[in-house]
Amino acid sequence: MELTQEVLNASWWSTILLLKLATFPFIVILARIKRQIFANPEDTKRGGEVKLTDAVVERRRRAHLNDMENIIPFLGLIMIHAVTGASSASCISFVCKVFTAARVAHTVAYVGENQAACPGSGLLLLVSPVMFTWELKLCSTFIRL
């Protein structure tokens, strides 16, 4: 079986997004260790306190949850487009670049407490799935399954 350019592009960008998603738990862990704020009493044996409301730790944890809520569905959507051939390789690559850049910008703005930049990057996050959905709708009108 030969991999198409669409599948290769989708796989490349999916890998980058998954690496971003996989690094975030370490960012949360480092914040917990640096601030000596933990969620479980077992973690405080070497010092620190149990606290579930630390603003810095919670901000990083929520950013990770937000990544999971957005990246995982996007990966499914992009793979559907790549495997079915509903989108061209250049379209997949472009949409993935926009989505990845918006995810990084949103994370930097959210973790850095720059609330002014969050809506702009959030708007970019909506553009990618909408572009894919629109293209799939157009494609389905011309190709009868």
Side-chain angles (χ1 to χ4, degrees), residues 35-86:
R35 299 180 63 81
Q36 291 293 303
I37 303 293
F38 301 101
N40 300 313
E42 304 90 45
D43 298 333
T44 61
K45 291 181 181 173
R46 293 187 181 160
E49 63 179 300
V50 175
K51 187 176 176 185
L52 299 175
T53 58
D54 185 69
V56 173
V57 173
E58 283 302 303
R59 183 169 283 280
R60 283 162 177 74
R61 192 182 66 77
R62 285 192 311 268
H64 177 59
L65 292 175
N66 187 276
D67 270 355
M68 288 192 298
E69 291 170 356
N70 287 282
I71 290 175
I72 294 170
F74 182 76
L75 294 180
L77 184 61
I78 192 172
M79 284 302 167
I80 289 171
H81 276 267
V83 171
T84 61

Side-chain angles (χ1 to χ4, degrees), residues 13-24:
W13 289 104
S14 296
T15 302
I16 290 174
L17 287 168
L18 285 172
L19 285 173
K20 179 193 180 310
L21 193 60
T23 58
F24 231 99

Side-chain angles (χ1 to χ4, degrees), residues 8-10 28 34 44 46 53 102 116-117 122 124 130 133 136:
L8 290 174
N9 283 351
V28 175
K34 181 179 177 183
T44 61
R46 293 187 181 160
T53 58
L124 275 178
V130 168
T133 306
L136 186 61

Side-chain angles (χ1 to χ4, degrees), residues 76-130:
L77 184 61
I78 192 172
M79 284 302 167
I80 289 171
H81 276 267
V83 171
T84 61
S87 298
S88 65
S90 60
C91 178
I92 288 175
S93 183
F94 174 73
V95 170
C96 287
K97 287 175 187 176
V98 169
F99 185 81
T100 303
R103 278 295 349 144
V104 170
H106 185 267
T107 299
V108 168
Y110 195 79
V111 170
E113 299 182 25
N114 184 359
Q115 293 299 322
C118 281
S121 59
L123 183 62
L124 275 178
L125 289 171
L126 289 175
V127 169
S128 303
V130 168

